[in-house]
Amino acid sequence: MTANGHVKNLTEGRPLKLILMFALPMIIGGVVQQLYSVVDTLIVGNTLGSQALAAVGATGSTIFFMISFMLGLTNAFSIVTAHHFGAGNQAMVKKTVVNAIFLSAICAVALSLVGIYGARPLMELLQTPAEIINQSVIYIQICIGFSVAQLAYDVAAAILRAIGDSKTPLYFLIISAFSNIVLDLVFILGMDMGVAGAAIATVISQAISAVLCIIYIIKKYPIFHISRREFRPDFKQLKLVTKMGVTMGLQSCFISVGEMAATGVINGFGTTVVAAYTTGIRVEEFATLAFINLSQAFSIYAGQNIGAHKTARIQEGFRKIAVLIIFLSFASMALIFNFGDDVARWFISDADSQINSVVSIAYQYLCTSACFYPFLGMILLYNNTLRGMGELGIPLMSGIIELLSKVGLSIILASLFGYSGIWYAAPIGWMLGMLPSLIRYHQGSWKKRPSKITDAYPE
């Protein structure tokens, strides 16, 4: 199969080196991507105050819920593309890309409508404090109403990663991140647009990365040069990809619903706790970035190798990445305990009267959650490995267990111990949700997947 650019065949060579070289741009890209939300948080928190910070923070779970299904679809495109690329089937790679374009266009329209008309009902359902709900609604309507930019980038990046190119999405994310910083300053400080300015800056920055990524794909990858005759949906494959995408989308939705439930409970404790939780989440996103992206990279590695019928390479790579992820989770835990409160303080203006309360509560959340990072790392690795091989049922069950645990325990523990009890809901969900995936992987029945993939996606 011919291709230019930064294509990487993950079915040959030393597994650990391959995965690390492939994952490194994804990890750096994850850091850059977090800058979107972090820059918003830093500028909003330090210029507009903790109330505006809480308004942006309160939207996190709602925005994740709205885009979670789309994330599932893009992951499905990536996995199916990786299967065909690993098998050397160029025709099916093209079909997958065409189907991704058609399906994503339909979803982009639907998502925009949900964001514009569903923002206020969802924020009211979550009992968002009255003093911040209007700002929260505006932020969601802008970010989700124009989410076609994010979706376009996510689809393009997912397809590139499926063929082993994890560098190109990083380059355009860096450009986008700098654009976001400049536009935040222009819209928030220069034009005094408040929370709406932060949302507009994010949307424009996402559009920049999407356009650049798509232009690069067209110019650099002959494998994606699709003729007019080829540019039509393949309904047989589209049905299979949609089924996989719906399953993976539901998994993402379960996680987001759990986050929304926790946010709804947290909102009941007032603006200070909401701001603290927002700050804690921002810090944690960086603390867990390495092993999150390693597990996602391993999903592509598993996808290419299952397509190439190389199950032994999957097992070898899994053992080595598992050791690395556990090490990284303990390293992140140590960093949180030693520097978590100092980092949390960066997100709040020193002039804010609530800074000490916000930082104290955020640090308590971070330390509680960090104790369970090894379980988070391993549930991500098990589930991403199974998804990469097309084993979707057990990860879906894992997501259901996580959902039920987080929703139920958020309510129960909050009533018993106050807001600090909520911090244990997600970690307990990680431990319980990991069990079915752990059993499924070590049971070994997934080794029959190569023949099933061949049957599922005939030419």
Side-chain angles (χ1 to χ4, degrees), residues 143-220:
C143 286
I144 300 300
F146 296 93
S147 59
V148 62
Q150 179 179 343
L151 183 57
Y153 170 79
D154 286 344
V155 170
I159 291 171
L160 285 174
R161 292 180 184 126
I163 62 171
D165 182 359
S166 58
K167 293 181 180 179
T168 298
L170 167 63
Y171 299 151
F172 297 131
L173 265 180
I174 291 173
I175 295 173
S176 182
F178 280 110
S179 301
N180 192 42
I181 293 170
V182 172
L183 291 172
D184 264 333
L185 295 173
V186 170
F187 292 137
I188 296 177
L189 296 180
M191 301 177 68
D192 196 25
M193 295 178 67
V195 167
I200 294 171
T202 298
V203 167
I204 294 175
S205 300
Q206 290 168 341
I208 291 171
S209 63
V211 170
L212 291 176
C213 201
I214 291 169
I215 291 174
Y216 182 87
I217 288 174
I218 294 171
K219 289 190 173 183
K220 294 293 184 180

Side-chain angles (χ1 to χ4, degrees), residues 272-438:
T272 299
V273 176
V274 174
Y277 182 64
T278 301
T279 303
I281 289 293
R282 293 289 182 262
V283 176
E284 186 168 74
E285 285 170 347
F286 281 99
T288 60
L289 233 166
F291 46 91
I292 287 174
N293 281 279
L294 273 172
S295 66
Q296 291 174 345
F298 193 80
S299 176
I300 302 300
Y301 171 88
Q304 284 196 17
N305 279 280
I306 207 74
H309 294 217
K310 295 184 177 181
T311 56
R313 281 179 59 81
I314 296 174
Q315 289 179 295
E316 180 185 357
F318 182 92
R319 289 193 297 269
K320 293 177 178 178
I321 293 300
V323 172
L324 181 58
I325 282 179
I326 290 173
F327 169 78
L328 289 172
S329 64
F330 278 106
S332 295
M333 187 192 310
L335 289 172
I336 288 293
F337 274 90
N338 284 284
F339 305 108
D341 53 344
D342 293 327
V343 176
R345 195 171 290 273
W346 296 349
F347 292 85
I348 310 293
S349 170
D350 290 335
D352 196 303
S353 62
Q354 298 298 315
I355 183 170
N356 290 327
S357 297
V358 170
V359 170
S360 176
I361 296 170
Y363 183 61
Q364 180 194 56
Y365 162 77
L366 286 166
C367 289
T368 303
S369 185
C371 292
F372 297 87
Y373 282 173
F375 295 101
L376 174 60
M378 289 310 298
I379 189 176
L380 288 168
L381 180 58
Y382 278 118
N383 283 344
N384 276 308
T385 301
L386 293 173
R387 290 186 193 116
M389 297 185 295
E391 289 265 336
L392 302 179
I394 296 300
L396 179 60
M397 181 189 299
S398 173
I400 293 172
I401 292 172
E402 274 198 84
L403 169 64
L404 295 176
S405 298
K406 190 160 189 177
V407 172
L409 292 174
S410 292
I411 297 170
I412 294 170
L413 295 177
S415 65
L416 294 174
F417 305 106
Y419 61 79
S420 60
I422 304 171
W423 310 155
Y424 290 90
I428 293 173
W430 301 337
M431 291 190 293
L432 296 176
M434 183 182 70
L435 293 178
S437 298
L438 179 153

